[in-house]
Amino acid sequence: MLRQDTPTSLGTYEPYATLSLRVAEVVREQIRRKPDSRLGLPTGRTPTDTYKVLSQWTREGAINWERAKAFGLDEYYDVEETVSFRRYLETNLYSNINLPAQSQFNPLQFDDYDGLIAREGGLDLTILGIGQNGHIAFNEPGTPLLSWTHSIWLTESTLKANAEFFKGRPPANAVTMGIQTILASRKIVLMASGKNKKDILQKALHGPVTADVPASFLQLHKDLVVMTDFEY
Ligand code: PGA
């Protein structure tokens, strides 16, 4: 069960466009409140419209990213640049906003990503998706609570879920922020879209805290906001 003393909030925003707008608002408010915010940013299907909204608002002058810094959650090893997560963030967000190039970080580029994040003052806000197998970032089932940024072999479930972005199979090896990296973020938004995420989200939020469902570790966080586009 969720710990009773945590201010975790759960919100359902239908349809997906509304969810995307609401998550974008959280990011906008974060940057307004703290212009030098350090953000953990996801890739995948779920956040694409959030990035569209953020891009639009930036064009309209509503967000100034000049002092912000962005840290990608994860990245494939040995990936063609065009299908890398770095390129995803570039295409969907970075190319549309005024976030300086030197403030865009990717875990593949650093031996000590956690040290880097700590030196930068720690993550203020991290946005996460959830995999159908319960992963957060690329922390696959079995990843221990005491994990920092590390390399990981992707599971069959993840390779299948991401196959559509690749001509062949996705690379099987990746680097990801660890569970501790994520839990150290001052605020976390877990974003889930589509009913195929309903069962795993239930398990993650209301089941036991276990490495079998890495997202369940989020129950240990004091400022977790769960935002979905389905009732659960
Ligand atoms: P998706 O991926 O947004 O493409 O569903 C989420 C995840 O695997 O974390």
Side-chain angles (χ1 to χ4, degrees), residues 37-184:
S37 286
R38 278 47 183 146
L39 308 170
L41 295 183
T43 53
R45 300 165 195 81
T46 311
T48 50
D49 279 19
T50 298
Y51 292 147
K52 277 192 195 136
V53 175
L54 289 170
S55 300
Q56 173 72 25
W57 286 346
T58 306
R59 277 192 289 272
E60 291 167 3
I63 310 178
N64 183 0
W65 302 76
E66 222 159 51
R67 295 176 55 206
K69 298 202 174 174
F71 298 82
L73 301 182
D74 45 16
E75 182 61 280
Y76 294 105
Y77 283 116
D78 297 325
V79 68
E80 226 181 86
E81 212 278 317
T82 53
V83 281
S84 67
F85 285 160
R86 157 80 222 169
R87 175 67 78 91
Y88 170 101
L89 284 170
E90 170 68 25
T91 306
N92 288 280
L93 186 65
Y94 297 157
S95 61
N96 308 321
I97 65 176
N98 65 327
L99 180 72
Q102 69 271 20
S103 303
Q104 306 164 6
F105 300 95
N106 176 292
L108 206 52
Q109 297 163 332
F110 298 92
D111 287 337
D112 182 11
Y113 205 44
D114 295 293
L116 170 75
I117 292 170
R119 281 193 301 282
E120 290 291 345
L123 296 171
D124 295 294
L125 170 66
T126 298
I127 312 290
L128 299 172
I130 182 170
Q132 282 185 54
N133 64 358
H135 73 205
I136 43 173
F138 267 154
N139 291 283
E140 297 283 43
T143 305
L145 174 59
L146 289 178
S147 53
W148 296 91
T149 300
H150 61 285
S151 302
I152 194 151
W153 291 100
L154 300 173
T155 61
E156 215 36 60
S157 153
T158 299
L159 293 173
K160 229 168 108 188
N162 292 350
E164 70 178 76
F165 302 110
F166 294 84
K167 283 187 211 93
R169 264 169 82 81
N173 200 209
V175 57
T176 180
M177 284 185 187
I179 301 293
Q180 291 299 316
T181 320
I182 290 168
L183 290 182

